[in-house]
């Protein structure tokens, strides 16, 4: 598989899972997936000012009978912590796709403090955290995440590792 | 009508329980209501329980975004978020997010008493400077109403029975604390009964 193929395959997986709303704070690692979502008339793409908005958006979507996912960078996970109380206390199903920063070939050290506590933070919020480092594992992991979240009304976070996304280019 | 802070006394201002009663006196079947945590949840509960209400006991700053997700999911219904100034301020960026989506079936209404009522009536930002309808307009809302009297309230109530554009409304209310009316707190049950009531599962 080519390096650019996994976001397209992830998009097809999202379609098969009948996801109708996609909330996101833009991230370079999600750029292709966001582009695909924006181009699909059956998906409502909702650009957020901060990630916790997406937690509430997703709850509202589910109350209305639709499935929503969230796309964010690892720095956004910290913004979600209190709002995840809503998801937990009401047992809303939720799948988040988190592109990792600060863990591998990271140029910007300011990404490290949050990047290093993403997993324990999410686990404290009762999320099942699944980490993907190889392109071939993206689709099966996403499928498992949807099955678990919607099958057991729970939170699943899929961490897309920095090895998978590649090093951010700082100079052009 | 649209001036920044005036010196109206609380005695001259709308009372919150009378205001919610007036707004929802002719609540249509298709109107779903999401209140914010604290006083607006109690205000809504004071009208009697309704499975089309999704009461919040937490998630501060999230009421408007819950309303957005719901409105986008259910274009066949109308959604009114009725929250307080403190709750709206915590999620103030959501006004920008909502204005971009502009669902025709969503109303964001803020009961503005200029105070954090739940925590000891400390002044909020709206007591000094922040003008919420101006913020909403600045975020891209093309309709942002300012309601300060019985007539304005009556117009807003009429609007709620059948609006077809996204709008924001600030309702200026007195900073009083009527006796609390506490609705169901079980989040799972609130979710399930709401979904059942609107045929979502």
């Amino acid at each position: 598989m080519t390096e650019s193929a996994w976001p397209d395959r992830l998009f097809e997986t999202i379609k098969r899972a009948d996801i109708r709303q996609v909330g996101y704070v833009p991230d370079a690692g999600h750029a292709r997936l966001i582009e695909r979502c924006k181009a699909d008339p059956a998906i409502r793409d909702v650009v957020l000012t901060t990630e916790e908005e997406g937690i509430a958006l997703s709850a509202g979507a589910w109350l209305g009978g639709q499935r929503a996912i969230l796309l964010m960078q690892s720095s956004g996970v910290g913004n979600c912590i209190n709002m995840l109380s809503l998801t937990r206390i009401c047992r809303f199903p939720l799948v988040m796709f988190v592109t990792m920063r600060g863990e591998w070939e990271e140029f910007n050290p300011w990404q490290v403090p949050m990047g290093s506590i993403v997993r324990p933070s999410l686990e404290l919020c009762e999320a099942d955290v699944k980490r993907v480092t190889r392109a071939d594992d993206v689709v099966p992991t996403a499928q498992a995440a949807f099955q678990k979240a919607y099958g057991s009304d729970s939170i699943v976070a899929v961490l897309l590792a920095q090895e998978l996304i590649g090093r951010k280019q700082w100079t052009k | 009508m649209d001036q920044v802070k005036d010196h109206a006394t609380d005695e001259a201002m709308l009372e919150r329980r009378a205001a919610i009663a007036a707004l929802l006196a002719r609540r249509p079947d298709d109107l779903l209501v999401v209140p914010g945590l604290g006083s607006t949840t109690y205000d809504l509960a004071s009208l009697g329980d309704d499975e089309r209400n999704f009461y919040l006991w937490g998630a501060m700053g999230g009421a408007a975004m819950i309303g957005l997700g719901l409105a986008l999911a259910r274009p066949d219904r109308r959604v009114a978020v009725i929250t307080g100034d403190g709750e709206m301020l915590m999620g103030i960026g959501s006004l920008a997010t909502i204005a971009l989506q502009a669902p025709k079936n969503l109303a964001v209404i803020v009961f503005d008493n200029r105070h954090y009522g739940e925590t000891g009536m400390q002044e909020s930002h709206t007591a000094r400077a922040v003008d919420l309808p101006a913020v909403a307009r600045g975020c891209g809302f093309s309709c942002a109403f300012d309601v300060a009297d019985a007539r304005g309230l009556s117009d807003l109530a009429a609007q709620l029975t059948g609006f077809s554009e996204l709008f924001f409304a600030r309702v200026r209310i007195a900073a009083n604390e009527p006796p609390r009316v506490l609705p169901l707190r079980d989040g799972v049950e609130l979710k399930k009964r709401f979904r059942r009531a609107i045929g979502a599962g």
Side-chain angles (χ1 to χ4, degrees), chain B residues 20 23 31-36 40 44 56 61-71 78-84 87-88 94-95 98 105-111 156 160 163 167-169:
Chain B
I20 192 94
L23 278 187
L31 186 67
L32 313 176
V33 182
V34 181
T40 49
L44 186 60
L56 292 177
M65 285 302 298
I66 294 171
L68 176 63
L70 180 56
R78 290 186 180 85
V79 179
V81 172
I82 303 177
T83 189
E87 205 276 344
M88 189 72 251
S94 59
L95 290 176
I98 290 167
N105 58 335
L106 177 62
V108 179
I109 297 169
V110 176
F111 276 21
L156 184 58
L160 271 183
F163 59 97
F167 72 90
F168 178 91

Side-chain angles (χ1 to χ4, degrees), chain A residues 21 44 53 62 64 90-91, chain B residues 69 74 94 97 101 191 195:
Chain A
Q21 296 186 34
R44 189 67 172 241
E53 288 178 5
W62 185 251
C90 298
R91 294 193 64 92
Chain B
R74 295 304 295 261
S94 59
T97 298
Q101 299 299 324
K191 172 189 70 172
R195 280 168 53 89

Side-chain angles (χ1 to χ4, degrees), chain A residues 104-152:
Chain A
W104 186 79
E105 288 273 324
E106 176 62 65
F107 173 80
N108 182 356
W110 292 49
Q111 286 286 351
V112 176
M114 187 64 227
S116 64
I117 60 168
V118 161
R119 176 184 283 275
S121 300
L122 286 168
E123 285 175 347
L124 283 169
C125 295
E126 303 175 296
D128 178 1
V129 181
K130 300 178 186 300
R131 188 166 187 273
V132 184
T133 55
R134 296 172 54 245
D136 285 346
D137 293 336
V138 172
V139 166
T141 306
Q143 281 173 346
F146 288 129
Q147 187 172 17
K148 170 131 192 230
Y150 293 110
S152 63

Side-chain angles (χ1 to χ4, degrees), chain B residues 97-121:
Chain B
T97 298
I98 290 167
L100 251 61
Q101 299 299 324
K104 295 179 183 303
N105 58 335
L106 177 62
V108 179
I109 297 169
V110 176
F111 276 21
D112 186 358
N113 70 355
R114 307 162 318 284
H115 291 80
Y116 292 94
E118 191 71 11
T119 52
M121 279 292 173

